[in-house]
Amino acid sequence: MSSKKAESAPSGAAPALRRDPYEVLSVSRDSTDQEIKTAYRKLALKYHPDKNANNPEASELFKEVAYSYSILSDPEKRRQYDSAGFEALDAESMDMEIDLSNLGTVNTVFAALFSKLGVPIKTTISANVLEEALNGTVTIRPLPIGTSVSGKVEKQCAHFFGVTISEQQAESGIVVRVSSSAQSKFKLLYFEHDVNGGYGLALQEDSEKTGKVTSAGMYFLHFQVYRMDSTVNALAIAKDPDAAFFKRLEGLQPCEVSELKAGTHIFAVYGDNFFKTATYTIEALCAKSYEDTTERLKEIETQILRKRNDLRQFETEYRKALARFQEVTNKYTQEKQAVDELLKQRDTIHSSFTVNRSVSNISNGSSSRVVGDDMRCESPGHGEEGGSDGKDKASKKKWFNLNLKSDKKS
């Protein structure tokens, strides 16, 4: 489902000295999810930075409470902690949320810049909004099924809406969606009726950019639906960019609430922009008119879960194959270098088989001396034979010239 537990608050950096989460929240190990949620809600409001601006100790306690709740509110993390304590948890992979109202101008500017660059920055909901909802002092506007309402909400403020559904509509399923053509950042909130008459935050969904709009939705369709937590993907990419693909579906988080009963239910649009107001349109729909779409969503959710399991298995195969590929690639490089070197040596040896081993250039470039000539000069008797040949040629030439002269005289 496109919703997540609202109180999965700041949990990125674990306290240096971590106390037992059950002790921090003052609950027992067999406490129900609702009991844990109620305990967290009270402590979070008590120590929230909005109400303790000049109390650093309260801020640390708020972080500890939020960190403890991030463990106990997640069934898998709670199971891991119960079985093996903190060692079983990967604290570095947990999400981190920031309170915009407590950031200050400079830090808010940096947060806005990183968000603009696509870095997912999770934010908490203002304690004032949560407290007003718990006290039941918020203004609730009606949002009939099949209608939409547009508006603008200030940053760190919320507009509340009451959606009244009949038995038939509840049985068919309900969808509540918010979109912003201005690409505003916002949160879609769902509140449960509190025993004290107020409203306690139960679910929240952060807006995500899809195409040219930002949107968020909650789907109460009587089957398990999921939301995609982009922060998990961002952390996976930061840790291992090459294997981030395999973590792409790990951000799927199930929603605790999959159906609504007949009656009036409270939703809210919370302004999550860093500086300006958030422009939005909220609509409530009955799934009766979207039966084919609902079945298609159910089928897709099942396929995505199956694909996530497939990817977990394929990642193991991929890593083994990648390691083997790197090993073979390294060997290929080594063998190629070895072959090139052998062929180079072979060419060098081939080039050594030649009579022209040394060549001395004279400055005027008119003569060169080769080994063969030296060998002939050094042969026994060869020099004398060469000398007599020269004399014979010279005498023959003179004799020939003399004959010519004698003929002319005669």
Side-chain angles (χ1 to χ4, degrees):
M1 175 171 192
S2 227
S3 298
K4 80 177 179 75
K5 289 172 274 204
E7 296 90 344
S8 85
S11 55
L17 297 175
R18 294 180 289 185
R19 291 195 295 154
D20 181 3
Y22 294 101
E23 177 186 344
V24 173
L25 297 181
S26 300
V27 294
S28 62
R29 286 186 171 269
D30 57 355
S31 296
T32 64
D33 292 342
Q34 186 59 47
E35 290 172 339
I36 293 173
K37 183 187 299 182
T38 301
Y40 165 74
R41 188 181 299 154
K42 292 178 179 178
L43 292 172
L45 287 174
K46 179 179 179 181
Y47 297 120
H48 199 286
D50 282 356
K51 302 178 66 176
N52 301 274
N54 299 321
N55 187 353
E57 184 179 353
S59 177
E60 292 303 316
L61 288 172
F62 176 77
K63 293 178 182 178
E64 185 180 41
V65 167
Y67 176 70
S68 298
Y69 181 74
S70 71
I71 297 173
L72 300 186
S73 62
D74 187 302
E76 180 61 21
K77 292 175 184 175
R78 184 179 180 181
R79 182 192 65 77
Q80 291 176 349
Y81 176 78
D82 288 344
S83 62
F86 287 116
E87 293 181 359
L89 301 172
D90 182 9
E92 292 181 355
S93 68
M94 294 184 177
D95 303 336
M96 182 171 184
E97 297 184 354
I98 58 176
D99 181 12
L100 291 180
S101 62
N102 199 41
L103 269 186
T105 304
V106 175
N107 289 335
T108 302
V109 170
F110 278 106
L113 175 61
F114 282 114
S115 179
K116 196 72 174 177
L117 293 174
V119 179
I121 297 179
K122 306 184 75 174
T123 55
T124 59
I125 300 171
S126 168
N128 293 333
V129 172
L130 297 177
E131 189 171 14
E132 289 175 1
L134 273 178
N135 295 333
T137 58
V138 295
T139 300
I140 298 176
R141 289 180 280 183
L143 178 62
I145 293 291
T147 65
S148 63
V149 174
S150 299
K152 293 183 177 181
V153 59
E154 295 292 331
K155 61 177 183 177
Q156 286 85 62
C157 296
H159 288 174
F160 287 78
F161 298 90
V163 179
T164 302
I165 60 177
S166 64
E167 291 283 355
Q168 184 179 3
Q169 290 171 334
E171 184 178 348
S172 298
I174 300 296
V175 174
V176 177
R177 283 180 50 83
V178 182
S179 61
S180 172
S181 57
Q183 299 186 9
S184 297
K185 284 175 58 66
F186 58 85
K187 297 179 188 291
L188 173 58
L189 312 177
Y190 171 65
F191 291 83
E192 295 175 338
H193 291 274
D194 193 77
V195 292
N196 297 323
Y199 309 103
L201 186 59
L203 304 171
Q204 80 174 44
E205 167 70 11
D206 292 351
S207 60
E208 295 282 350
K209 186 177 180 182
T210 53
K212 296 183 178 180
V213 302
T214 51
S215 61
M218 293 185 181
Y219 306 85
F220 307 93
L221 301 172
H222 300 279
F223 59 83
Q224 186 68 70
V225 286
Y226 299 80
R227 66 175 298 277
M228 180 64 75
D229 190 342
S230 58
T231 307
V232 174
N233 296 334
L235 290 170
I237 292 174
K239 288 183 177 181
D240 188 356
D242 294 334
F245 165 71
F246 295 102
K247 305 301 180 184
R248 190 172 178 182
L249 298 182
E250 294 301 324
L252 285 176
Q253 308 234 337
C255 178
E256 288 181 323
V257 183
S258 60
E259 60 183 72
L260 298 178
K261 296 181 179 180
T264 300
H265 298 270
I266 307 303
F267 295 86
V269 180
Y270 179 82
D272 209 24
N273 277 339
F274 289 95
F275 296 107
K276 57 184 180 180
T277 59
T279 304
Y280 68 89
T281 297
I282 182 173
E283 54 187 340
L285 307 169
C286 177
K288 179 67 176 178
S289 305
Y290 302 87
E291 291 182 350
D292 292 342
T293 306
T294 300
E295 286 301 317
R296 181 60 180 157
L297 175 61
K298 184 176 182 179
E299 178 183 346
I300 288 295
E301 294 283 27
T302 302
Q303 291 180 13
I304 290 176
L305 286 180
R306 188 183 303 119
K307 180 60 67 177
R308 181 173 66 177
N309 293 331
D310 292 343
L311 282 180
R312 289 171 177 171
Q313 296 177 359
F314 178 55
E315 181 179 8
T316 302
E317 299 175 13
Y318 171 80
R319 290 189 179 279
K320 289 181 179 179
L322 182 61
R324 177 59 180 160
F325 172 77
Q326 292 174 342
E327 178 184 347
V328 172
T329 301
N330 292 337
K331 185 176 181 180
Y332 170 85
T333 302
Q334 294 171 359
E335 294 296 337
K336 183 178 182 299
Q337 292 175 348
V339 169
D340 290 343
E341 181 62 27
L342 289 173
L343 291 176
K344 183 179 178 181
Q345 294 179 19
R346 180 175 179 267
D347 291 340
T348 301
I349 294 174
H350 282 176
S351 65
S352 300
F353 289 97
T354 176
V355 295
N356 299 322
R357 292 187 179 180
S358 62
V359 177
S360 57
N361 293 326
I362 309 304
S363 59
N364 58 7
S366 61
S367 65
S368 63
R369 182 174 153 192
V370 298
V371 175
D373 292 341
D374 293 341
M375 292 176 64
R376 285 197 300 272
C377 290
E378 294 174 359
S379 298
H382 190 278
E384 295 179 359
E385 292 177 0
S388 61
D389 288 345
K391 291 180 180 180
D392 292 343
K393 289 179 181 179
S395 60
K396 287 179 180 179
K397 182 177 181 181
K398 290 180 180 180
W399 176 83
F400 183 75
N401 288 337
L402 287 173
N403 290 337
L404 287 176
K405 288 180 181 180
S406 61
D407 288 345
K408 285 180 180 180
K409 285 181 180 182
S410 61

